[in-house]
Amino acid sequence: MSILSATLSRVKPSPTIAVTTKAQELKAAGRDVIGLGAGEPDFDTPDHIKAAGIRAIEAGKTKYTAVDGIPELKAAICAKFKRDNGLDYVPAQVSVGTGGKQILYNALMATLNPGDEVVIPAPYWVSYPDMVLLAGGEPVIAPAGIESGFKLSPETLEEAITPKTKWFIFNSPSNPTGAGYTWDELKALTDVLMRHPHVWVMTDDMYEHLSYDGFEFCTPAQVEPALYDRTLTCNGVSKAYAMTGWRIGYAAGPQDLIGAMRKIQSQSTSNPCTISQWAAVEALNGSHDFIAANNAMFKRRRDLVVSMLSEIDGIECPTPNGAFYVYPSIAGLIGKTSKAGTLIDNDEAFATALLEETGVAVVFGAAFGLSPNFRVSYATSDEALKEACTRIQIFCAELR
Ligand SMILES: Cc1ncc(COP(=O)(O)O)c(C=O)c1O
């Protein structure tokens, strides 16, 4: 008899982490690998935030804290929601966890019963469906293809909702497509939700500050204030502040839900890292000037990648307005054979052959629920991006 639980057999390991691991292994074995798989900024945590972490250590702030966050961080989060999103929350409505990932996981664990459905637009961030499965729920995938700019239409949302729907998970700007919903596009979705009062909204605003070309970020409870009482607004410091390793994410929502999430956290991990919480206070309250400079760099890299990939026959690469990903379609390459003889019959075969034959690591679209595509993370140097895109161009030109 297996030691493993039946629940575990419902989920798969994170494919993005698998690609990063495989690329690291090849690198360690001496191969010339360019990793475009990782979902994290390539620059360092800003100095003033690091200094706050160091100050916390030196001041002995190294003990347990309240399970779901120190009062100073909860106050900074309330101020952030007011300042950036026009949303009023009090500290008792705020939960801080070990990364955005734990926050989303706690919320699903705290709310899902067997058979409960969660509507997830595809392409999606890899962890949503598996977290729903781990929590005993059923993911319901609502497709949002390249023709709609990878944005969910209100009609498709309406069709996906059933009496069993508990949550709608919303993510803008999106991982893996970079697509950001405008106010009107989001309003069209919240209008649908207003007709289904049993459906709650889990909005993952992780890429809020990473946007380009004047895109104006908005979040569901802001666009439709009547949804405030059934919305969990999730965010974190990982991406905009280059703090992926510090592991701080947070959410605000109805107090009962926040209390239930706290209960899960109190019996699993307890408080998120104390030192990181103090660094996050500085991240949220301190200067944000570096974000504009980082975004200018990301925009330049995005334009470079989009233009180089768009030159390839058989690849269609839309220009997204947020995050640090592009999600090109390879529909025009399916059925071809690589120089080394691999049949490209789907996007996984494409990504595998690309890594083995050129050393460029990307993540295949099937991992995100929409094929045939691949995800490029452009959070790496211009030189690496140029070299990687050149290799992709050559690889594709040699397909027969
Ligand atoms: C859309 C999205 N949500 C949440 C997360 C998790 O963030 P964290 O590193 O804070 O757990 C990520 C990280 O890749 C993400 O892309």
Side-chain angles (χ1 to χ4, degrees):
M1 208 178 84
S2 168
I3 186 81
L4 304 178
S5 73
T7 305
L8 193 71
S9 68
R10 283 161 61 88
V11 306
K12 56 183 182 323
S14 162
T16 42
I17 291 177
V19 168
T20 309
T21 310
K22 169 101 181 158
Q24 281 164 352
E25 280 167 12
L26 287 175
K27 230 178 199 164
R31 287 281 305 275
D32 169 21
V33 172
I34 307 176
L36 305 181
E40 62 181 347
D42 58 318
F43 44 84
D44 217 359
T45 306
D47 286 343
H48 66 286
I49 300 175
K50 285 195 221 171
I54 293 165
R55 275 199 306 276
I57 295 176
E58 287 174 348
K61 291 171 174 165
T62 54
K63 304 278 167 67
Y64 291 132
T65 70
V67 165
D68 62 356
I70 53 175
E72 291 82 352
L73 182 50
K74 289 191 173 191
I77 291 165
C78 292
K80 173 260 173 290
F81 279 124
K82 185 71 185 163
R83 174 178 74 232
D84 296 343
N85 314 113
L87 293 173
D88 287 301
Y89 289 110
V90 295
Q93 289 178 284
V94 172
S95 185
V96 185
T98 300
K101 209 168 206 171
Q102 189 187 21
I103 287 291
L104 298 163
Y105 182 72
N106 285 347
L108 292 167
M109 287 298 283
T111 55
L112 293 183
N113 290 311
D116 283 348
E117 293 176 358
V118 178
V119 175
I120 303 172
Y124 44 70
W125 179 48
V126 289
S127 294
Y128 300 141
D130 288 280
M131 280 187 185
V132 169
L133 290 166
L134 268 180
E138 301 297 333
V140 172
I141 306 304
I146 198 165
E147 61 294 338
S148 61
F150 302 116
K151 293 179 210 172
L152 187 67
S153 72
E155 296 76 24
T156 309
L157 175 58
E158 183 82 59
E159 279 164 26
I161 292 173
T162 76
K164 290 184 185 167
T165 308
K166 197 153 229 176
W167 288 103
F168 166 53
I169 298 185
F170 179 73
N171 174 220
S172 163
S174 147
N175 178 0
T177 67
Y181 289 66
T182 63
W183 185 285
D184 289 347
E185 287 164 347
L186 180 49
K187 181 72 169 61
L189 298 183
T190 59
D191 284 350
V192 173
L193 297 169
M194 288 307 293
R195 292 197 288 276
H196 299 278
H198 66 292
V199 180
W200 284 53
V201 191
M202 191 177 295
T203 179
D204 180 351
D205 299 350
M206 190 56 82
Y207 294 93
E208 165 174 16
H209 294 296
L210 299 175
S211 67
Y212 322 107
D213 307 332
F215 173 76
E216 284 186 28
F217 173 85
C218 52
T219 188
Q222 177 188 26
V223 169
E224 180 48 85
L227 285 177
Y228 177 87
D229 290 331
R230 50 184 169 113
T231 297
L232 184 69
T233 304
C234 307
N235 211 317
V237 295
S238 295
K239 312 284 173 165
Y241 302 91
M243 291 177 71
T244 46
W246 297 76
R247 313 305 304 130
I248 296 290
Y250 58 84
Q255 276 194 40
D256 288 356
L257 173 59
I258 294 297
M261 290 163 61
R262 179 166 54 240
K263 195 165 163 188
I264 304 259
Q265 195 158 299
S266 74
Q267 296 294 19
S268 51
T269 59
S270 293
N271 65 276
C273 170
T274 306
I275 300 149
S276 300
Q277 290 189 67
W278 285 103
V281 170
E282 175 61 24
L284 293 176
N285 288 345
S287 166
H288 286 69
D289 292 349
F290 63 93
I291 292 182
N294 289 347
N295 283 359
M297 188 168 66
F298 279 139
K299 178 185 150 42
R300 193 184 65 232
R301 292 169 173 180
R302 176 204 66 175
D303 292 343
L304 170 77
V305 171
V306 169
S307 89
M308 287 188 76
L309 295 181
S310 296
E311 286 169 15
I312 301 173
D313 258 355
I315 287 191
E316 182 186 355
C317 186
T319 307
N321 46 16
F324 38 64
Y325 309 104
V326 293
Y327 198 66
S329 161
I330 55 158
L333 302 178
I334 296 299
K336 300 197 174 203
T337 303
S338 75
K339 193 179 176 193
T342 304
L343 173 65
I344 308 298
D345 51 357
N346 57 42
D347 50 33
E348 185 164 4
F350 175 84
T352 305
L354 189 69
L355 180 57
E356 279 167 5
E357 296 178 33
T358 74
V360 174
V362 299
V363 187
F364 56 93
F368 306 100
L370 190 107
S371 291
N373 291 67
F374 65 101
R375 188 192 77 174
V376 167
S377 163
Y378 54 82
T380 189
S381 73
D382 292 38
E383 295 67 41
L385 289 172
K386 260 184 225 156
E387 172 62 23
C389 290
T390 304
R391 290 189 201 178
I392 298 173
Q393 287 179 338
I394 296 170
F395 174 82
C396 292
E398 288 175 344
L399 293 174
R400 290 289 168 264

